Amino acid sequence: MQKITSNQNSRVKEWTKMQSKKGRVKSGQYVIEGWHIVDEAIKHHKQLQALMVTDETYLENLPVDSATEVYVITPEIAKHIAATETPQGVFAVLATEDYHETIPDDLDGSWLLLDSIQDPGNIGTMVRTADAAGMNGVVFGKGSADIYNPKVVRSMQGSQFHMRLFAGDLIDWMTAFKKNGVPTYGTELNDQAISYYDVQPTKKFGLVMGNEGNGVDPEILSWTSQNLYIPMNGEAESLNVAVATGILIFHFCK
Amino acid sequence: MQKITSNQNSRVKEWTKMQSKKGRVKSGQYVIEGWHIVDEAIKHHKQLQALMVTDETYLENLPVDSATEVYVITPEIAKHIAATETPQGVFAVLATEDYHETIPDDLDGSWLLLDSIQDPGNIGTMVRTADAAGMNGVVFGKGSADIYNPKVVRSMQGSQFHMRLFAGDLIDWMTAFKKNGVPTYGTELNDQAISYYDVQPTKKFGLVMGNEGNGVDPEILSWTSQNLYIPMNGEAESLNVAVATGILIFHFCK
């Protein structure tokens, strides 16, 4: 166990660099923070390449032996390396497992596809929702934030340990779904779209959710089996994309 | 039309103070920002007590005549008074209408009650979801952020112009619902709770959603007609509270 008290320490500099995708790709590592996520990582037998706490007594509740390196850091360093404004004082470094860029042969089950979702908090919440519903995987399309973006990681709350997360070209995925006879749904508001009530709950589907402002890319929509809308009686023009995702997924996965 | 170039200007200081509840209560005013929300305010004939833009040409698209005061401000001032990091350059000052602290006599329809919801983004998203579903009103219980909190206002996206927002003691509301024969639902995971599937869609109900970490206060739960849970097949332990709200509301309001 080592103590670090300076932001200028080389380890601190490395951890800080992991806040950017470039830094994560270069090191092959990312930082998780907070008790819940660190606990989830341990429960899923992830190798903690480093474990950092702001208070030595925290180590009493953590499997120190299983961490490659253990550091006690100052609250100032914690603030420096954290993605949150008031970090809980427990962090770990994990390997960024591969980005699962290859589409699996077996596409049975249910899949959520993210088309250019901008807000990392929305992305993380959508992954967590797919996880709660027991979906098989989430595909991060081009233009969506990186899987290991600190804000995505924070709002996923450990879902990356429960389900497969892919990065890929959504048109390739749509092609694969079509070939495998998996029905796919997009969301849009036009004459061809039907209410989601009219789709029966199902265990095998792909659902594409689109950008907060612009919706799903028309080229991707042209690949779907059916496009859907959520009937709204009120005055708000749209739903938050993570809320809309929850409504649709929990209808399908009933 | 006046130009303001200094953060030290007395108007700028007033607008900045409206970021805190104390400042809003004192002035009886709050700031809205962004094209969409300002447009909504205009569409709903709200009196703009001030209209502020960072570019004089923006005024061509705005009903300058209907604003009491019009200011062109610098991008620096915009950053200073904004709740967002990259403000769109259009702001307005509105009166904080009363907080509707009196429970209405007619409790027909559907109501969302917020029990100590912490995150202003969640609150705003929940209000927007209730608005989209055509609910009658939202009640902000004690411990939930203020209705006119800038982050709540931002994520409501104008819902405060479409539906009634109340501040009040949730036990008083539960008592009133009971007296009026309106069924109420809380969310909790225990032996008495039933799956939400088992509740038929309905047009008359109160739904209480609770704190992100602790759920609904047990005292409030003891007042509900029935407590519900959302069946989850996956591994995530919980849903984001705004997503859970969307799933329940859109089931009830079908």
Side-chain angles (χ1 to χ4, degrees):
Chain A
M1 193 264 292
Q2 263 183 275
K3 286 196 185 192
I4 304 181
T5 55
S6 161
N7 277 348
Q8 297 307 310
N9 178 285
S10 63
R11 276 285 180 273
V12 176
K13 285 185 181 170
E14 283 171 30
W15 300 330
T16 311
K17 281 186 189 151
M18 294 173 198
Q19 289 169 356
S20 74
K21 178 161 185 183
K22 197 178 149 198
R24 292 190 294 275
V25 169
K26 207 172 157 194
S27 64
Q29 295 178 317
Y30 72 111
V31 177
I32 57 175
E33 68 175 274
W35 286 102
H36 179 71
I37 305 185
V38 172
D39 278 344
E40 284 287 301
I42 293 164
K43 213 164 50 178
H44 288 82
H45 310 290
K46 297 293 165 188
Q47 176 63 28
L48 308 186
Q49 309 205 337
L51 173 64
M52 302 89 95
V53 293
T54 53
D55 185 326
E56 213 174 318
T57 63
Y58 293 172
L59 295 174
E60 292 161 18
N61 302 311
L62 288 160
V64 177
D65 294 345
S66 69
T68 312
E69 298 172 344
V70 179
Y71 299 95
V72 176
I73 58 176
T74 63
E76 290 67 39
I77 295 175
K79 273 212 151 173
H80 201 66
I81 63 172
T84 53
E85 277 174 42
T86 49
Q88 291 175 17
V90 55
F91 299 82
V93 174
L94 299 181
T96 55
E97 306 187 17
D98 76 54
Y99 279 75
H100 301 292
E101 285 178 345
T102 311
I103 301 176
D105 289 330
D106 181 5
L107 284 175
D108 248 6
S110 53
W111 306 84
L112 175 64
L113 288 78
L114 311 181
D115 176 34
S116 300
I117 307 293
Q118 262 182 324
D119 181 77
N122 280 340
I123 293 178
T125 303
M126 290 162 84
V127 172
R128 184 176 157 202
T129 306
D131 177 17
M135 292 181 82
N136 291 60
V138 178
V139 187
F140 288 55
K142 280 174 200 156
S144 291
D146 183 52
I147 294 175
Y148 298 105
N149 172 304
K151 289 182 185 165
V152 172
V153 168
R154 178 189 164 195
S155 59
M156 286 197 295
Q157 295 206 1
S159 287
Q160 74 270 35
F161 308 130
H162 308 153
M163 67 191 310
R164 283 186 297 173
L165 305 179
F166 296 81
D169 183 318
L170 297 190
I171 298 287
D172 294 344
W173 276 80
M174 298 305 280
T175 316
F177 284 130
K178 199 161 220 171
K179 223 182 264 172
N180 284 270
V182 178
T184 51
Y185 301 98
T187 45
E188 88 176 321
L189 206 56
N190 75 1
D191 290 349
Q192 280 84 53
I194 61 170
S195 161
Y196 76 99
Y197 303 160
D198 296 330
V199 179
Q200 289 305 307
T202 164
K203 296 218 175 307
K204 187 172 165 179
F205 67 94
L207 172 68
V208 196
M209 297 300 295
N211 177 271
E212 288 88 342
N214 304 317
V216 181
D217 178 336
E219 199 191 336
I220 297 174
L221 285 181
S222 72
W223 276 88
T224 52
S225 325
Q226 178 65 57
N227 292 324
L228 307 174
Y229 69 91
I230 299 177
M232 296 193 283
N233 299 318
E235 274 195 75
E237 282 166 28
S238 65
L239 289 164
N240 166 280
V241 69
V243 172
T245 303
I247 293 168
L248 294 174
I249 289 180
F250 274 77
H251 171 75
F252 283 142
C253 296
K254 227 174 238 177
Chain B
M1 193 264 292
Q2 262 183 276
K3 286 195 186 192
I4 304 182
T5 55
S6 162
N7 277 348
Q8 298 306 310
N9 178 286
S10 63
R11 277 283 181 274
V12 176
K13 286 185 181 170
E14 283 172 30
W15 300 329
T16 310
K17 280 185 190 153
M18 294 174 199
Q19 288 169 357
S20 74
K21 179 161 184 183
K22 195 178 151 198
R24 292 190 294 275
V25 169
K26 206 171 159 193
S27 64
Q29 294 180 318
Y30 72 111
V31 176
I32 56 174
E33 67 175 274
W35 286 101
H36 179 71
I37 304 185
V38 172
D39 278 345
E40 283 287 301
I42 293 165
K43 214 164 51 178
H44 288 82
H45 310 291
K46 297 292 163 188
Q47 176 64 27
L48 309 186
Q49 309 203 339
L51 174 64
M52 303 88 96
V53 293
T54 54
D55 185 327
E56 212 174 318
T57 62
Y58 292 172
L59 296 174
E60 293 161 18
N61 302 312
L62 289 161
V64 178
D65 293 346
S66 68
T68 312
E69 298 173 344
V70 178
Y71 299 93
V72 176
I73 59 176
T74 62
E76 289 68 38
I77 295 174
K79 273 212 150 171
H80 201 66
I81 63 172
T84 54
E85 277 173 42
T86 48
Q88 291 175 19
V90 55
F91 299 83
V93 174
L94 300 182
T96 55
E97 307 186 17
D98 75 55
Y99 280 74
H100 301 293
E101 286 178 345
T102 312
I103 301 176
D105 289 330
D106 181 6
L107 283 174
D108 248 4
S110 52
W111 306 84
L112 176 64
L113 287 76
L114 311 181
D115 176 33
S116 301
I117 308 293
Q118 262 183 323
D119 181 79
N122 280 341
I123 294 178
T125 303
M126 290 161 84
V127 173
R128 185 176 156 202
T129 305
D131 178 18
M135 292 181 83
N136 290 60
V138 178
V139 188
F140 288 55
K142 280 174 201 153
S144 292
D146 183 53
I147 295 176
Y148 298 106
N149 172 304
K151 288 182 185 166
V152 171
V153 168
R154 179 189 164 195
S155 59
M156 287 197 294
Q157 297 206 359
S159 287
Q160 74 269 38
F161 308 130
H162 308 154
M163 67 192 309
R164 284 186 297 172
L165 305 180
F166 296 80
D169 184 318
L170 297 190
I171 299 286
D172 293 344
W173 276 80
M174 297 306 280
T175 316
F177 283 131
K178 199 161 218 169
K179 221 182 264 169
N180 284 270
V182 178
T184 50
Y185 301 98
T187 45
E188 88 176 321
L189 205 57
N190 75 2
D191 289 350
Q192 280 84 52
I194 62 170
S195 160
Y196 75 98
Y197 304 162
D198 297 331
V199 179
Q200 289 304 308
T202 165
K203 297 218 174 307
K204 187 172 165 180
F205 66 94
L207 172 68
V208 196
M209 298 300 295
N211 178 271
E212 288 88 342
N214 304 318
V216 181
D217 178 337
E219 199 192 335
I220 297 174
L221 284 180
S222 73
W223 276 89
T224 52
S225 326
Q226 178 65 57
N227 293 324
L228 308 174
Y229 69 91
I230 298 177
M232 296 194 283
N233 299 317
E235 275 195 74
E237 281 165 28
S238 65
L239 289 164
N240 166 281
V241 68
V243 172
T245 304
I247 293 168
L248 294 174
I249 289 180
F250 273 78
H251 171 75
F252 283 142
C253 296
K254 226 174 239 178

